[in-house]
Amino acid sequence: MYRFRVIETEDSFLGGRSYGIVGEESRAADWVPVECVPNISCRLPFVTQLAERCNRYQLSPVHLRDVVMDAIP
């Protein structure tokens, strides 16, 4: 089982907040980070919606970077 969470990062290039997604896998009653894509966008609603879709369809974290690249306008 996988879950995807939005993370907040500092965007040193733009000098503000940016949001990314971390993909985690359930292992032995704990969640272990498997993949992380930081600094996807400074638009929190966009990143939140993307993470929710990844959760809904149980995306494998191996494909997270591809999904992010396809989703960026």
Side-chain angles (χ1 to χ4, degrees):
M1 173 147 212
Y2 304 111
R3 79 174 177 186
F4 297 86
R5 294 184 302 111
V6 174
I7 56 170
E8 183 177 315
T9 59
E10 286 293 320
D11 189 331
S12 57
F13 181 71
L14 297 175
R17 287 185 171 85
S18 184
Y19 302 95
I21 297 175
V22 63
E24 300 172 322
E25 183 176 13
S26 178
R27 294 186 192 159
D30 200 11
W31 291 99
V32 178
V34 178
E35 184 64 73
C36 181
V37 181
N39 301 329
I40 295 170
S41 174
C42 57
R43 296 180 4 232
L44 179 58
F46 170 74
V47 179
T48 301
Q49 182 183 39
L50 184 57
E52 288 172 355
R53 281 189 281 160
C54 292
N55 283 320
R56 185 177 330 127
Y57 296 112
Q58 278 296 286
L59 177 76
S60 171
V62 173
H63 302 291
L64 181 59
R65 289 186 187 277
D66 292 330
V67 168
V68 168
M69 292 305 293
D70 289 343
I72 294 175

